Amino acid sequence: MFFKTDIHSHVVPGIDDGSPSVERSLELIGRMQNWGLEKLIVTPHVTQDTFENTPEIISEAYGKLQAGLQESGIEIEMDYSAEYRIDEMFVEQLEAGIIRRLHGDYLLVENSYIQEPYNIDQILFQVSMKGYHPILAHPERYMYYYNKLKRYDELHSNGILFQVNLLSLAGYYGKEAKKVAEMLIEKDYVDYLGTDLHRRTHVEVMEKYLQSKDYRRHREKLEGRIKNDEMRGPSEK
C-alpha cells in the first residue's frame, strides 16, 4: 500500500453493517496490517433510522475493540470517528456539539444512495461555519450524479473534499463506479482513499486488487497527491 493511514472502515464490532464481533474485527485488522497500513481511523455509520449510533455507543464498542487488540498483542495506531449520513440526526448532533472529528477539523460525511439531500449545500455550509472541513465519502458511488457530472465540479470547487473507495477502483461496485472514480483521479479531485472495509469479501477483493495492473496504474497517478498520511499522529477532538 502506498499510504499508511486508512480513514474509512467498519471494523468497530457490532454497531453497524460491518464487523459483527471483536474476533472478526481482529481478523480484518490483521489483514489490513499485512497491506502495510499502520494507522486506522475507524468510522462506524451514524444514520437516522438505521444505525442511530451516539458517541456513547461508539465509544463503548471501540473500547471493546481496543481491549481485544491489547489482549491479542496486535500493535497498530488506532483512532475512531464516524461516517455521518447527511440527515436530520447528523444536523442534531452537529448542533449539539457531539460530533467526533476524523482528525483535526475534518469530518467524514456521506449522502443517501437514493438521492442527494435536498439541502446538502446548506448543511455543508453549516458544517463549514462550525469550523469543520467535510470529506465526502465515496462520491463515485452516488448514481444520481452519473448523468450530471458537473455536480462533482461544483462540490469540489466549493471546498468539499473527496474520499474515493479502493473497492471502487477495484471494480467491486461495477464498471460505472470504477469509471467515475478514475474520472475523479484525472480531474485531480481525489483527496483521500479509503478501504471502506466491512467484511471478508472486501478483504479478498482488496488483496486481488493490490496485485493487479489497475492498482499499479492508480498508484502511479495518486502517490504523493492524496492526503491520508497527514492524519497520522494525535488529533484534538
Side-chain angles (χ1 to χ4, degrees):
M1 195 83 79
F2 65 94
F3 57 94
K4 304 298 183 185
T5 307
D6 184 38
I7 68 166
H8 185 177
S9 68
H10 297 270
V11 297
V12 176
I15 59 172
D16 66 4
D17 58 344
S19 171
S21 65
V22 171
E23 292 73 23
R24 181 63 54 80
S25 296
L26 299 180
E27 175 191 334
L28 296 175
I29 290 170
R31 301 285 281 274
M32 295 169 86
Q33 273 191 307
N34 290 340
W35 306 338
L37 290 170
E38 297 177 359
K39 178 176 181 178
L40 308 180
I41 306 176
V42 292
T43 52
H45 288 290
V46 175
T47 310
Q48 189 170 2
D49 299 327
T50 309
F51 304 112
E52 294 191 334
N53 286 314
T54 63
E56 293 77 18
I57 291 171
I58 297 174
S59 178
E60 181 179 357
Y62 179 74
K64 293 177 181 176
L65 175 59
Q66 285 283 72
L69 288 167
Q70 187 172 1
E71 290 171 10
S72 300
I74 297 175
E75 295 184 6
I76 186 168
E77 188 178 352
M78 297 284 291
D79 203 347
Y80 74 95
S81 177
E83 180 184 11
Y84 292 98
R85 175 71 57 85
I86 298 174
D87 57 22
E88 291 182 12
M89 183 175 181
F90 171 61
V91 173
E92 290 171 1
Q93 291 195 356
L94 184 69
E95 291 300 319
I98 57 173
I99 294 293
R100 173 93 178 182
R101 303 173 188 183
L102 189 69
H103 184 91
D105 293 320
Y106 294 93
L107 287 181
L108 186 67
V109 298
E110 70 164 346
N111 286 356
S112 163
Y113 289 104
I114 300 172
Q115 63 182 17
E116 184 182 66
Y118 75 93
N119 56 346
I120 183 175
D121 294 308
Q122 177 185 348
I123 292 175
L124 292 176
F125 179 72
Q126 283 182 261
V127 170
S128 298
M129 291 301 292
K130 294 281 187 182
Y132 298 115
H133 301 291
I135 300 172
L136 183 62
H138 41 64
E140 76 282 359
R141 295 185 61 195
Y142 306 127
M143 291 186 289
Y144 43 79
Y145 289 153
Y146 293 176
N147 293 324
K148 47 180 182 179
L149 296 176
K150 288 186 177 180
R151 186 61 173 143
Y152 291 114
D153 301 323
E154 294 170 359
L155 289 167
H156 204 264
S157 65
N158 286 336
I160 309 306
L161 301 169
F162 287 172
Q163 175 261 299
V164 161
N165 280 3
L166 286 167
L167 288 166
S168 297
L169 293 171
Y172 179 75
Y173 305 111
K175 293 181 180 179
E176 199 66 27
K178 180 176 180 178
K179 179 182 175 181
V180 172
E182 291 183 332
M183 179 203 73
L184 295 176
I185 292 175
E186 294 301 323
K187 285 179 170 286
D188 200 20
Y189 286 177
V190 180
D191 303 290
Y192 298 91
L193 291 173
T195 64
D196 200 3
L197 191 75
H198 286 65
R199 54 189 64 93
R200 285 171 173 166
T201 304
H202 292 170
V203 170
E204 293 163 4
V205 172
M206 279 288 298
E207 291 180 347
K208 185 176 180 181
Y209 168 66
L210 292 173
Q211 300 300 318
S212 71
K213 292 181 180 178
D214 272 348
Y215 171 72
R216 293 190 289 273
R217 179 167 54 89
H218 298 147
R219 173 178 181 160
E220 184 177 339
K221 291 180 177 293
L222 290 168
E223 193 165 15
R225 292 165 61 182
I226 61 168
K227 305 173 184 177
N228 288 57
D229 290 336
E230 294 178 10
M231 295 195 179
R232 299 296 298 275
S235 174
E236 295 180 4
K237 302 298 179 190

